[in-house]
Amino acid sequence: MPDGLVARLLAIVGPRGLLTERVDTAPYAEDWRGLYHGRTPAVVRPIDTDQLSRVVKCCAASGVAMVPQGGNTSMVGGAVPSEDGSQIVISLARMNRVTAVDPVDLTLTVEAGATLQAAQDAAEAAGCLLPLSIGSQGTAQIGGILSTNAGGNNTVRYGNARDLVLGLEVVLADGQVWNGLRRLRKDNTGYCLRQLFVGAEGTLGIIAAAVLKLVPRPVETEVALCAVASVEAALDLFARFQRADAAAVQAFEYMSGTGMGLVLTHIPGAKLPLRAPAAHYALVELATSRVGGGLREMLEAVLSDALDADLVSDAVVAGSETQRAAIWKLREEHSEAQKRAGASVKNDVSVPVSRVPELIDRASAACAALMPGIRVVAFGHMGDGNIHFNLEQPEHMDAAAFLARDHEIMDAVCAVVRDLDGSFSAEHGVGRLKPYLMPQWRGGAELDTMRRIKAALDPGGVMNPGKLLP
Ligand code: MLT
Ligand code: ZN
């Protein structure tokens, strides 16, 4: 670390904005999955864009690498510093204000460090909905969510984080501030810079604030959990809802019996609201802002036809907000349950929606052939083709021995995904875990162009090095 850098940072952010003691910096140097144990001499916590810009200028002038960090909920180690103690962590947590909500423009202006939950609450208080929902929303922050282009449960209807961004404020790698906090629906003035920073995982600059799109708050919402006969049956059920009213399908999630079993075993209070456990489940959420939208009738009609067709064997429709939350909990606790059950390898993959059954079928067979006893925990966003094809260690295997074979497992799954024209990272990003896959999947002109963009915007290589690009 260059002499005097920490003192210069302290002069910018003051004592409340700087952590240097190991006990204080340690939580910022490790990821929640426990895959990485980095080290940093300082965590800098600016209070506003001006401080952030001065911090970046200061580090850049010394050639010191910076790791921007939001809620540190990355699934791929995207927000942790390296082990050699050479990188400064910049936490956005204190830049957490929602600065404007406009129910006519249907926009929300928010600083990067606000949690998604806080942004959702502000939207709701104004009679609107911020239609982005992920399991970690109480902790994940807007800056990180945009930097990783998070997906989540509502992609089927509203797209990914990228699709909700109208404007951005970004501190560039040299500390310059680009204020692009526009809230225009039409603005056709050259390269779309904001989309360059969304999904860049902090490798091009640091998102300081954003203008997000809102929608009117739904007046009717229905949630149902169904036991379905097979993955194909779940897909058929999804198609039936799409045909009935595509605009009302807010989420359509698939869960396997194995994953549900882990949730019921490891998550206190989790209870299956159906007659008996099943091998496959679908969770559907419908919503409309139309008064008298007739959602319940539509839901019941589709479910009744699906029961007659033997696609669905049992279903429960939530009768209250508490029941709705209890059903969603069964889905949202899948990651936590898996963590408690032992070591797991995650494959956040996507394929065309129509090929999800084939993906699950073929990848399951490939993993079973690779490691007898491996437990397939496939679940996720069936409505947009993003399946978390996660693998849980065989029951009596040593966790470290299982994790040592993570690349082998990921390669076996990826071979199937590739054959089905899919992607090796649907919503978690690339981070530190998967850059090695980039040449294989995005090599040639695509990776070359990415490298040129990186070189143009961050010639010193100081923005989150070691992430995304191999
Ligand atoms: C989720 O959708 O719950 C997470 O993205 C899944 C995961 O743990 O892989
Ligand atoms: Zn997910």
Side-chain angles (χ1 to χ4, degrees):
M1 202 48 43
D3 268 359
L5 177 67
V6 172
R8 288 197 294 282
L9 293 172
L10 178 65
I12 297 169
V13 296
R16 286 200 57 213
L18 190 75
L19 307 174
T20 52
E21 294 297 328
R22 192 70 181 263
V23 292
D24 299 324
T25 60
Y28 296 82
E30 304 187 344
D31 67 315
W32 78 277
R33 290 185 63 191
L35 298 180
Y36 301 102
H37 306 278
R39 203 159 57 77
T40 181
V43 176
V44 192
R45 305 165 71 237
I47 193 80
D48 58 19
T49 303
D50 178 57
Q51 280 193 2
L52 176 61
S53 150
R54 284 155 62 207
V55 165
V56 171
K57 256 184 210 146
C58 185
C59 291
S62 304
V64 170
M66 292 159 268
V67 181
Q69 190 177 101
N72 200 11
T73 58
S74 172
M75 295 282 195
V76 289
V80 287
S82 57
E83 286 73 21
D84 62 5
S86 67
Q87 304 179 341
I88 298 277
V89 172
I90 300 182
S91 162
L92 281 300
R94 292 210 298 161
M95 294 172 56
N96 61 2
R97 288 156 288 239
V98 175
T99 52
V101 187
D102 192 318
V104 177
D105 286 338
L106 288 168
T107 56
L108 176 130
T109 309
V110 61
E111 291 181 342
T115 62
L116 174 55
Q117 185 68 59
Q120 285 172 348
D121 291 348
E124 180 161 357
C128 302
L129 173 76
L130 172 55
L132 187 68
S133 152
I134 60 176
S136 57
Q137 61 198 29
T139 311
Q141 298 172 9
I142 295 297
I145 281 169
L146 296 179
S147 293
T148 54
N149 182 29
N153 305 325
N154 300 148
T155 301
V156 61
R157 181 162 175 185
Y158 298 105
N160 297 301
R162 182 183 294 298
D163 300 297
L164 300 173
V165 182
L166 287 177
L168 278 191
E169 180 178 64
V170 179
V171 174
L172 305 177
D174 61 0
Q176 244 192 105
V177 178
W178 168 51
N179 186 337
L181 278 182
R182 294 186 283 264
R183 53 201 171 108
L184 304 172
R185 302 282 166 165
K186 284 188 170 176
D187 175 21
N188 221 350
T189 51
Y191 301 141
C192 187
L193 292 187
R194 68 180 186 279
Q195 294 297 0
L196 211 51
F197 295 98
V198 176
E201 304 190 22
T203 61
L204 301 178
I206 304 179
I207 294 175
V211 179
L212 303 177
K213 287 184 203 169
L214 303 177
V215 297
R217 192 170 57 198
V219 294
E220 276 182 41
T221 302
E222 296 290 347
V223 171
L225 178 69
C226 314
V228 290
S230 60
V231 187
E232 288 81 1
L235 184 62
D236 192 336
L237 183 63
F238 171 61
R240 286 167 185 247
F241 279 113
Q242 291 281 85
R243 284 197 297 273
D245 185 357
V249 180
Q250 186 104 338
F252 192 94
E253 301 280 312
Y254 167 80
M255 289 164 278
S256 71
T258 310
M260 186 68 91
L262 294 181
V263 173
L264 297 172
T265 307
H266 295 283
I267 302 297
K271 226 175 132 261
L272 187 69
L274 296 169
R275 282 193 303 268
H280 309 274
Y281 301 91
L283 188 168
V284 60
E285 178 168 303
L286 307 173
T288 180
S289 52
R290 244 183 1 253
V291 178
L295 276 192
R296 174 61 77 105
E297 293 73 12
M298 186 269 262
L299 175 65
E300 285 175 355
V302 172
L303 287 181
S304 149
D305 285 352
L307 278 159
D308 290 345
D310 290 329
L311 299 175
V312 171
S313 56
D314 190 11
V316 58
V317 177
S320 66
E321 186 51 50
T322 315
Q323 285 174 9
R324 224 182 277 162
I327 289 176
W328 266 112
K329 182 181 163 92
L330 296 172
R331 162 63 185 86
E332 293 296 22
E333 294 289 357
H334 263 62
S335 286
E336 185 58 33
Q338 254 204 291
K339 197 174 167 193
R340 292 185 191 186
S344 58
V345 172
K346 290 182 191 289
N347 292 279
D348 164 43
V349 299
S350 60
V351 294
V353 178
S354 60
R355 309 196 85 171
V356 167
E358 199 181 341
L359 163 75
I360 294 180
D361 200 41
R362 286 176 55 188
S364 299
C367 290
L370 192 68
M371 191 185 286
I374 196 167
R375 288 171 287 172
V376 174
V377 183
F379 65 97
H381 320 292
M382 180 175 240
D384 63 42
N386 172 198
I387 293 298
H388 298 297
F389 196 87
N390 295 354
L391 287 313
E392 191 72 26
Q393 63 170 91
E395 219 128 11
H396 299 296
M397 188 172 183
D398 173 60
F402 174 71
L403 289 177
R405 297 185 64 185
D406 62 345
H407 281 199
E408 243 180 286
I409 295 168
M410 280 152 74
D411 289 349
V413 174
C414 279
V416 177
V417 173
R418 201 174 184 121
D419 203 43
L420 297 175
D421 300 324
S423 171
F424 70 95
S425 177
E427 63 172 4
H428 294 170
V430 178
R432 215 175 131 179
L433 188 63
K434 300 182 179 176
Y436 82 99
L437 290 168
M438 288 293 275
Q440 240 168 293
W441 287 76
R442 299 289 175 258
E446 195 168 352
L447 188 52
D448 192 41
T449 305
M450 288 192 207
R451 286 192 200 280
R452 282 195 255 170
I453 292 170
K454 169 76 174 171
L457 295 191
D458 179 22
V462 289
M463 297 309 315
N464 213 8
K467 317 288 164 47
L468 179 53
L469 296 173

